[in-house]
Amino acid sequence: MRVIGTAGHVDHGKSSLVEKLSGIHPDRLAEEQSRGLTIDLGFAWLELPNGETVGIVDVPGHRDFIENMLAGVGGIDAALLVIAADEGIMPQTREHLSILRLLDIRKLIVVISKIDLIDDEEWLELVQLEAEDLLAESELAGAPIVPVSAQTGAGIERLLDELSALLAGLPERVDSGQPRLPIDRVFVVSGFGTVVTGTLMGGALSVGDALVAQPGEHSGRVRGLQSYKRDVQTALPGSRVAVNIAGINKSDIKRGAVLARPGRLQPTLLADAHFTMPADSEGILEHNTEVKFFCGAAEALARLRLLDADSLAAGESGWLQIRLREALPLTRGDRFILRVPSPARTIGGGIIVNAQPGKRYKRMQPQILDELDARLHGSLGEQLAIAARAREPKSPTDLAAQLGFSTAEMQVALAEALVADLLRELPGLGIWASDSWRRLVQRMLAELGRYHSANPLRLGMSRAELGSRLRIKLPLLDTVITDEAELTIENGFVRAQSHSIRFSHEQEARIDRLMTALEVAPYSPPTISEMNGLAGEAVVRALLDLRRLVQVSDSIAFAAADYARLVAAIRAHIEAHGEIDAKTLRDQFGSSRKYAIPLLERLDAQGITRRVGDARVPGASF
């Protein structure tokens, strides 16, 4: 499905041409029809000789309505640039052509209209030469130039043939499975409710689909679809669509909003972009200039931060961070136009390379500029790897939606990035940029290094503490520890592989005294407080980390071997008698309730035993 736009000066007969081609007059407002002046967007469609249905967006030509024109040309595949034979090229013609080029619309037919008003063949030839000169120094040089008359029909057949050939050479619209509909009209139909129209992008849309209108997070459902006045169950990307939405009121949305699947599109106040000032632009664009920003059917005031220059002049390009006055739902790859409010004029346009940068960049930073350049010019794999630079892994589906990749493009990008070690696949977590992984490893080692220096007699940090300090989730933490040789987890503590607890000679002597005391009364050992007095609190904590001691309560710990004998005896007694109680345990080991009760409570907590009255029976983990 294709959509074309008609552009040109107000008096050049665009609307009459559209009516001749399609049988539909695109001016829908009473004022437009009475004045013969296109004020807002007009819509029609035609069937080409090859049977293809093509949508038409007729945009205003008058300079006072240039911003309405911008709301209509964002989704078109090709354009008809209309020049009246009796007037020739006008200033608005040049501005419209400049806008089409900035929006990267590379398929164009120049239509010389109103040839029925010209008797002088030399004059007509002069207008055609003027049109050729207009295109000569651009990528549109050599575009077809077709003289026509909407009154007599002269040239219309040739125009349709040229249009068929032009559109036949276009690649199919990408279906990434992520439909987006920039809204250019909102109205209410009695008995049906809210209806919106636009040019569908990104994927197919079907009756019953859940949608969200952004900005505003207004949720709704597709009640009905029409494409070119025909009811359809599914609309394809690239077609003009009218969507009857259930659940969203007309007051909730306006021109410039975007319909998308839930969770797939978030409004943003900040965007990274590459910008170009055409060679015929007037003035200088300076850092921190306030402009009007146009993208799709949306517009907003914005302030520009130039990232690689203090100013840009005509013919120059550069990197921008665009700070919007109000949040807009932008996507990587969106084309935009910038205008200054006073005096109102177009200053240039470009492409969004990152719609969710998340932070304000420092200016003149080579690393940032290199990354932005890779986002714009890199291969599919490089673009995917850059998008996967985040605080945590993302799902391939989310990344494909962010990048606007089709399923096939995503497969190519993923394979390329994995072979080049730009990405890592993390089972159960998603995919992550390799440099994001490496940065996390370095952060973990640095955090552990500081901890080991401050606590040489601690085995390491708990997983929860390290995850909290780094602000990462435990599944990701565990994956990194498992895969990285420089990291290890021992006895539940995360440590650098190079770290180990080393006792001094004096500390070893204290440990010997403590172990002797435990050998004297293995089942009635000194309290932890008494152990601290014998060996020092830091040493006792180290012995607990190393599991040479096993703590069963705030005040009681056993030597590891003695604890193992106690647990084995409890298991054996329960296997033989079905249960055990604190009195039996106390009598069997010559201990006391002070030690027996905390020990049994620990086994209860581990699921080894389960309390029934005063006795313990096998637990779930027995």
Side-chain angles (χ1 to χ4, degrees):
M1 308 294 280
R2 302 296 182 187
V3 177
I4 63 172
T6 61
H9 188 259
V10 61
D11 296 324
H12 286 189
K14 295 185 292 78
S15 299
S16 297
L17 175 63
V18 170
E19 185 174 19
K20 187 66 177 179
L21 289 169
S22 66
I24 301 167
H25 200 292
D27 290 345
R28 55 190 172 80
L29 302 178
E31 183 183 358
E32 292 178 316
Q33 295 173 12
S34 67
R35 295 173 60 186
L37 169 70
T38 301
I39 297 171
D40 205 349
L41 303 177
F43 305 99
W45 66 94
L46 63 90
E47 188 170 302
L48 294 174
N50 63 8
E52 181 180 3
T53 300
V54 176
I56 303 175
V57 180
D58 185 36
V59 301
H62 196 286
R63 65 181 306 165
D64 290 346
F65 306 117
I66 193 76
E67 293 175 1
N68 284 346
M69 176 265 188
L70 289 168
V73 293
I76 66 175
D77 297 287
L80 304 181
L81 184 65
V82 183
I83 301 171
D86 60 336
E87 292 186 333
I89 293 171
M90 305 293 284
Q92 278 70 53
T93 312
R94 296 182 183 278
E95 186 167 17
H96 280 202
L97 179 62
S98 179
I99 288 169
L100 293 172
R101 293 179 62 194
L102 289 168
L103 293 175
D104 201 35
I105 296 165
R106 301 197 174 207
K107 296 296 183 179
L108 178 80
I109 297 174
V110 176
V111 180
I112 309 295
S113 67
K114 299 184 178 182
I115 61 172
D116 54 290
L117 301 180
I118 300 298
D119 294 328
D120 187 344
E121 288 294 327
E122 290 186 1
W123 174 261
L124 183 58
E125 194 173 315
L126 184 62
V127 173
Q128 290 183 252
L129 289 172
E130 191 180 17
E132 289 176 3
D133 290 342
L134 179 65
L135 303 178
E137 296 183 4
S138 76
E139 66 282 358
L140 296 171
I145 299 175
V146 184
V148 303
S149 169
Q151 300 303 315
T152 68
I156 294 297
E157 187 174 339
R158 183 193 163 198
L159 176 57
L160 289 172
D161 289 340
E162 292 283 4
L163 189 54
S164 296
L166 188 76
L167 296 180
L170 287 171
E172 289 298 318
R173 286 275 189 141
V174 173
D175 187 343
S176 63
Q178 304 299 334
R180 290 186 299 136
L181 186 75
I183 295 169
D184 50 40
R185 285 184 68 203
V186 185
F187 52 95
V188 172
V189 175
S190 179
F192 291 90
T194 305
V195 176
V196 301
T197 68
T199 301
L200 185 60
M201 306 165 67
L205 193 61
S206 298
V207 173
D209 284 353
L211 293 174
V212 172
Q214 297 284 18
E217 200 77 25
H218 302 292
S219 299
R221 179 180 53 81
V222 179
R223 176 184 286 162
L225 285 172
Q226 280 193 351
S227 186
Y228 310 119
K229 291 291 185 181
R230 293 192 296 267
D231 290 336
V232 295
Q233 287 298 305
T234 298
L236 300 178
S239 57
R240 289 290 305 172
V241 181
V243 185
N244 179 206
I245 312 174
I248 301 180
N249 296 322
K250 180 178 181 292
S251 58
D252 293 333
I253 47 179
K254 62 181 180 179
R255 174 181 285 180
V258 178
L259 290 180
R261 292 224 173 111
R264 294 302 178 197
L265 187 62
Q266 294 298 322
T268 183
L269 286 168
L270 196 64
D272 302 337
H274 191 261
F275 173 79
T276 297
M277 288 187 71
D280 57 356
S281 292
E282 299 175 12
I284 299 290
L285 177 64
E286 295 184 344
H287 174 66
N288 220 29
T289 298
E290 186 169 73
V291 297
K292 277 189 170 183
F293 172 87
F294 298 85
C295 185
E299 67 173 275
L301 288 175
R303 194 165 290 280
L304 305 180
R305 301 185 66 247
L306 274 62
L307 298 178
D308 57 352
D310 292 319
S311 64
L312 292 175
E316 294 183 337
S317 299
W319 290 104
L320 307 179
Q321 256 199 330
I322 302 169
R323 180 75 183 185
L324 297 162
R325 185 80 63 85
E326 58 185 279
L328 293 180
L330 304 179
T331 302
R332 172 195 164 275
D334 284 349
R335 292 276 170 175
F336 66 90
I337 296 293
L338 299 181
R339 286 171 59 82
V340 290
S342 181
R345 58 185 173 86
T346 300
I347 57 171
I351 185 170
I352 302 295
V353 298
N354 186 7
Q356 302 285 344
K359 62 181 180 180
R360 184 173 177 269
Y361 300 140
K362 288 183 179 179
R363 301 174 63 224
M364 313 297 182
Q365 299 296 306
Q367 182 178 348
I368 290 171
L369 299 175
D370 288 346
E371 180 177 317
L372 290 172
D373 189 68
R375 284 182 179 270
L376 180 61
H377 299 296
S379 66
L380 293 177
E382 289 168 338
Q383 292 177 45
L384 177 59
I386 291 170
R389 291 174 182 168
R391 288 194 59 82
E392 57 188 22
K394 295 183 178 182
S395 74
T397 301
D398 287 345
L399 286 167
Q402 178 182 332
L403 292 165
F405 282 178
S406 66
T407 301
E409 287 174 324
M410 187 62 185
Q411 290 172 346
V412 170
L414 185 56
E416 178 190 323
L418 290 171
V419 167
D421 194 30
L422 298 175
L423 277 184
R424 297 182 71 111
E425 282 189 294
L426 309 183
L429 298 177
I431 56 179
W432 209 25
S434 296
D435 51 3
S436 294
W437 171 282
R438 287 188 287 268
R439 278 195 295 271
L440 177 58
V441 172
Q442 293 308 311
R443 288 173 59 212
M444 291 173 71
L445 289 170
E447 192 67 50
L448 289 170
R450 287 188 289 270
Y451 184 84
H452 294 329
S453 295
N455 305 276
L457 293 184
R458 293 302 307 267
L459 187 57
M461 260 195 280
S462 71
R463 294 165 56 252
E465 182 180 0
L466 182 56
S468 175
R469 289 192 185 191
L470 297 173
R471 297 183 180 179
I472 62 171
K473 296 175 182 176
L474 292 183
L476 176 57
L477 182 84
D478 293 339
T479 300
V480 175
I481 294 168
T482 301
D483 285 5
E484 286 295 329
E486 294 178 275
L487 298 164
T488 191
I489 188 163
E490 181 181 353
N491 299 342
F493 295 97
V494 185
R495 64 175 175 84
Q497 187 68 258
S498 58
H499 171 74
S500 63
I501 294 176
R502 295 179 178 85
F503 297 113
S504 66
H505 292 302
E506 180 186 355
Q507 289 166 339
E508 291 284 5
R510 291 182 180 182
I511 292 170
D512 290 342
R513 287 199 297 272
L514 173 57
M515 291 305 173
T516 299
L518 291 171
E519 289 172 6
V520 171
Y523 308 118
S524 301
T527 65
I528 290 177
S529 178
E530 292 167 338
M531 291 182 187
N532 291 341
L534 287 169
E537 185 175 351
V539 171
V540 171
R541 182 68 261 176
L543 295 174
L544 289 167
D545 285 357
L546 293 168
R547 295 190 180 176
R548 292 174 64 180
L549 297 175
V550 179
Q551 187 170 355
V552 299
S553 74
D554 290 343
S555 60
I556 304 298
F558 294 93
D562 299 330
Y563 175 80
R565 281 191 288 273
L566 283 166
V567 173
I570 291 168
R571 284 178 180 275
H573 189 93
I574 292 176
E575 286 174 348
H577 303 286
E579 64 179 27
I580 192 171
D581 58 22
K583 180 178 181 299
T584 302
L585 180 62
R586 179 198 65 188
D587 293 344
Q588 185 173 344
F589 286 94
S591 184
S592 68
R593 289 178 62 84
K594 170 183 174 182
Y595 299 97
I597 294 297
L599 175 60
L600 291 172
E601 288 177 346
R602 174 181 167 85
L603 298 182
D604 291 344
Q606 293 176 321
I608 296 173
T609 58
R610 178 170 59 87
R611 182 173 179 174
V612 178
D614 289 333
R616 261 66 178 189
V617 299
S621 302
F622 182 79

